[in-house]
Amino acid sequence: MAKYAIGIDFGTLSGRALLVDVSSGSEVAASTLNYPHGVMDKALPCGKELGGDWALQHPKDYLDVLAYTIPDMLKKGAVDKDDIIGVGIDITACTVLPVKQDGTPLCFLEEYKSEPHAYIKLWKHHAAQPYANRLNDIAYERGEGWLERYGGKISSEWLFPKLWQILDESPEIYDAMDKFIEAGDWIVWQMTGNERRSACIAGYKAMWHKRDGYPSDAFFAALDPRLEHVVDIKLSRDIYAQGFKAGGLTRRMAELVGLNPGTPVAVANTDAHVCMPSVKITESRKMLAIIGTSTCDMLLGEEERMIPGICGYVEDGILPGYFGYEAGQSCVGDHFAWLVENCVPGAYFDAAKKAGVGIHAYLQRLASELQPGESGLLALDWWNGNRSVLVDADLTGMILGMTLATRPEEMYRALVEATAFGMRKIVSNFEQGGISVDSVYAAGGITEKSPFTMQIYADILNKPIHISGSANGSALASAMFGALVAGKANGGYDSIVEASAAMGKLKDTLYLPCVDNVPVYDRIFAEYERLHDYFGRDENSVMKRLKSIKKAAK
Amino acid sequence: MAKYAIGIDFGTLSGRALLVDVSSGSEVAASTLNYPHGVMDKALPCGKELGGDWALQHPKDYLDVLAYTIPDMLKKGAVDKDDIIGVGIDITACTVLPVKQDGTPLCFLEEYKSEPHAYIKLWKHHAAQPYANRLNDIAYERGEGWLERYGGKISSEWLFPKLWQILDESPEIYDAMDKFIEAGDWIVWQMTGNERRSACIAGYKAMWHKRDGYPSDAFFAALDPRLEHVVDIKLSRDIYAQGFKAGGLTRRMAELVGLNPGTPVAVANTDAHVCMPSVKITESRKMLAIIGTSTCDMLLGEEERMIPGICGYVEDGILPGYFGYEAGQSCVGDHFAWLVENCVPGAYFDAAKKAGVGIHAYLQRLASELQPGESGLLALDWWNGNRSVLVDADLTGMILGMTLATRPEEMYRALVEATAFGMRKIVSNFEQGGISVDSVYAAGGITEKSPFTMQIYADILNKPIHISGSANGSALASAMFGALVAGKANGGYDSIVEASAAMGKLKDTLYLPCVDNVPVYDRIFAEYERLHDYFGRDENSVMKRLKSIKKAAK
C-alpha cells in the first residue's frame, strides 16, 4: 500500500498543501487557498491606515489554509488519512507575531484588533529599517562577533528590528505579548500543541547560533535597557533542529483538517531553505536560487567563512554537516509585475490578448528579439531595496539609457537583466569569499514559465542553470520532512539525504550560457558593478537623501 | 482701412500661417497644414530604411503649406489681399537641404529620390554626431577662436556636421549639390526668387560672424581637404540681417498663395529667435524660453561674454544692439509624450476619458497633488541628449528613486521637474558667465496649457515666469517682420522695437515661486547637479559606453 506525506507551503499571498507519494516523490494532489486578508499594507481590516513600508498578515488566514486545503487535497487525491505518514510545513520568514502565553495572537483579542503592532509583521514589512540601522551601528561599535555571520549587517526584515519597533512605537503591545514568535513556529504549535521553535528560522532570522546561542543580554541592553532579557522573556532558548518531530497532530487540529490525531509534524522550515533537497542538492558548489517576487540563494559550504553582504549562514541550517549560506534579492519578479502594472500601455495588453498569451509572455516574446545590449538600457534592481550584497532597504531603483525610441519591452528586458546582474553580484561575492559556485539550480514560478528569463540568467551568470522538477518545490520538500519525521519504520525515511534521493526532482531542461552573449554581458555587468558601488556604497547616497526628503514631504 | 501682415511658422510637424492686424497685433485668422510626409525617421517615401538617429523632411511639404494655408487663412479672415502689407517666415533650424543652382532640391530629381542624403536634414537629425565630435576635436586642437562663441562645442544638429556627413557618406550627393542651404532661406528663395541667406540662422547654426565671417578655409581643409573651399562652393558669403527685405513675391508664388505679386517678404528667421519681440522683450535680463518638444532659451546681453555650454551668441542676432545669447534643451515635451506613449496604463486613459480631459491633463491633475520631493524620484532630462550645458547628443535618460509603490503620475512629475532642473542649470550657467537673468518669459503650447508645469518651473527656477500672450508667438513675430519690411510708409513699422510695442502680447497670468517649495527644490537640484556632472562630464561615461554596445548589437 502506498504511503503519503503532506507538505504545506505558506507563501506571501496564499497557502498550498501538497500530497506526495513517499516512494517516488510523485505529486498526487494539491490545494491552494488565497489568504482572505492578503497582504495588509495600506490598512487594517477595521480601516485603520498603516504607515509607509508596512506589510502585515492575519494569523487567521493560516488556520483557514489548514482547514480548507488539507481536506480538499485529500478529496482530490482520493487518499485515505490512514496512509498519511507525516506532515511538514514551510513559510516565509521572518514573518513574526506577538502572542499570549497560550499562543493566542494578540490581534485575535478584541482590545488589540485596531492596533497594527498586534498583527503579523510579514517578511517584507520594512518599517523597522531605522531600528535595523541602530542595531547595526550598536553591534558594530560593540564589535559583536555574530555580526560577521550575517555579512556585517542585520536586515530590517529580521526579528529583532521588528520586535524593537513594537517596543518603541507601542510599548503596551510589547508588554501585552507573552511571546514573540515566528509564524511557522506558531502554526506548528497550533498543530501539535507544542512550542518547538525552528533552528533554521532562528539561525537565519534571529541571530541564533548552534553553539553560541543568541547575542548576549548585554548587547540587547545596549539597544534599550528594556530589551536586556528579551530572549528569556519574549522568545525562548529551546531551539529544535530541522527534521525534528515537533509532535503529533492534536485531536482538535486533526478534526479540523481531517487527519488522524498524532500524525507526526516536523519543526517548521522557511520556504526557501527547505527547498534544497527538492532539487537533489546534497553537496557544496551548487547554488539553489528560488526565484519569485524576491529571490533567495542558498549554498552549502564545507568550511566556515565570514562573507560580507550575505544574509547569513547557519551550521546545519540547510543540510546536516554543512554550513548553509544564504543571500538574496529583495525584489525580482516584483520588478516585472511593477512594470506591467505601471508602465505598459493598453495596446500591449490588447496585442497579448489577440496573441492568446499573458502580458508577461507577450513582453518577453518582444524582448527576446533584442540582442544583449541592444536596448542600451541598464537598471539597478533595487525597487525594494537591496538585500545582498549591500543589505540596505533604503536603496531605490534606477534605470538609465532611455531615448525617445525606448519601448516597454526594452525596459522589461532591462529589469530582467538587472535582477540577473544582482544575482551575479551575489555569486561573485560568494566566490570572492572562498565559496565556489559551479552551477545554479533554479526553482520558482519564473524558472518554469520563462525560458527567456532563464537564458538571460545563464548568459549573465555564465553558469549552467538546472531547473527544479517541481512547481511546488517548497511543499515537496516539506513533505520530505514529513516523511522524515514519520521514519523508515512507518514507511518514511531516516535521513533527509535518502528522502531527497527518492523524492527530489529536476527537469531535463538545462540552460547553458550562449558564448556570443557572455562577453557582451560581461561588459554591461562591469557598468552595473560600477553603478552598484557608486549608488550603493555611500559614494553618492542620493537615493537615501531623496528618501529622507520624501518622508519629510509626506 | 486696417492693414495686415502674415507670419508663417514652419514647425517640426506642421506649418501654420497667421493673419495679424498690424495696428494691434490682433490675430485675425490662422491655418495649419500637417506635413504630408511628417518627420521621416524610419524610411524614405520609397520605403528605403534610414539609419538610427536620422530625421528627414520633404521640401515639397513646405510648398504645400504655402499653397494651402495662406488662401485658407485669407478666406477665414475675410481679408482682401490688397490689405496684406508684408510676409515673414520662421522655421526650425538647422534644417538644411542640398539643392541645384536654380534652387531645385536634389530629392525632387528622379535620380536622387531614393538617396536619403538628398532630403532635408531636420534639426533633430542626430546621425552627424561623429562628425560633430571630430569637428570639435579639430577646432579645439587648432585653437579656433570662434569655438568659444558656441560654448566650446558645435552641436551635431548644426550645418557643418550635417554637410560633412553627406560628403563622407555620399560623395556623389555632395558633388551633385550646387548649394547647401537652410530650409528657411530656401523657402524665402522660392517665394521671392532671391537667395537671401539669414544672418540669424547663419550666425547660430553655421558659425558665421558679423565681423569675422565663417571659419577659415584652412580650418575646413583640416577637417577634410575636399572641404577647403566649402563656403564659397556650397554656401555663400552674402548674409542678410534680420528685418532685411528679401524681395517681393514672384508672380508664380503670388498666384500659388493668392497674394499680390511684389508683396514684401522678410529674410527668414528661426522659429525661436524670432519670438523675442512677440513677448515685448526688448532689453537684457529677461530670458525667453520657448518650451515645446524641445526648449530654446534666449537672452539679450549688452556685453560680449564667452560662456561655456551655451548654443551660441550672435551680435544683433535677436535684436539690434544686443548680443543674442542662446541655450537650449534638446528634449522637453518629448519626455512627457514618450511617457504617455510608452509608460501609461490603459486605466489612466480610461479615467482621463471619464473625467473628460486629455491624458496629459489627467496625469498633471494627479501629479499636482504631490508635494515637491514626495515622489522620491529624480530624473536626468536627456532622453534626446543634452544641448546645454553639456552639448552632447550621446547622453541618454536616467531616472532613479523608484520603489514598488511608484506610480506613472510620479514619473510624469519627475520628468517635468527634470526639464525644469535642466533649465535651472542653463540659467545658473548664464549667471556664472556674467549674464544676469531676473525673470523668465515662457512661450509655447505647454506654457499655455499647463499651469502645473509652469508653477513647477517657477518653484525650481525661483524666478517669476511671464507667459506669452499668443499661442502663435513665432508666427506673430514673423508677421511683425512682415510689417517691418513693408515699412511705416505702407502701414507697417520702421523698427522691430516699434512693431513689438504695438503687436507684442503677454498674458495677465504671472507664476511666482512658492516659498515653501523653493528650499525643497534647492535640495533636489543639488542632487540633480551632482548626477548631471557625474554622468555628463566624463566622471562615468556609462551612457556613452552603453550606446556604443547598443550600436555594436544592432
Side-chain angles (χ1 to χ4, degrees), chain A residues 397 401-402 527 530 539 545, chain B residues 397 401-402 527 530 539 545:
Chain A
M402 285 79 77
E527 304 295 346
R530 188 162 164 189
E539 203 179 331
R545 289 191 296 271
Chain B
M402 283 79 76
E527 304 295 346
R530 188 160 166 192
E539 203 180 330
R545 289 190 297 270

Side-chain angles (χ1 to χ4, degrees), chain A residues 271-326:
Chain A
D271 54 354
H273 301 98
V274 74
C275 272
M276 215 85 163
S278 76
V279 294
K280 295 179 180 263
I281 301 182
T282 50
E283 59 189 318
S284 61
R285 292 175 172 268
K286 296 172 174 178
M287 186 174 101
L288 170 59
I290 316 279
I291 306 176
T293 55
S294 62
T295 282
C296 181
D297 303 307
M298 284 152 296
L299 188 57
L300 302 175
E302 283 145 26
E303 292 164 32
E304 185 161 8
R305 302 265 188 187
M306 300 293 187
I307 300 179
I310 65 168
C311 302
Y313 70 86
V314 175
E315 194 177 344
D316 304 335
I318 296 176
L319 283 186
Y322 290 97
F323 292 86
Y325 292 87
E326 184 199 341

Side-chain angles (χ1 to χ4, degrees), chain B residues 240-263:
Chain B
Y240 297 84
Q242 231 181 332
F244 188 90
K245 177 179 163 184
L249 281 184
T250 62
R251 181 158 303 277
R252 196 166 140 242
M253 182 57 67
E255 270 171 27
L256 182 77
V257 303
L259 292 174
N260 288 325
T263 305

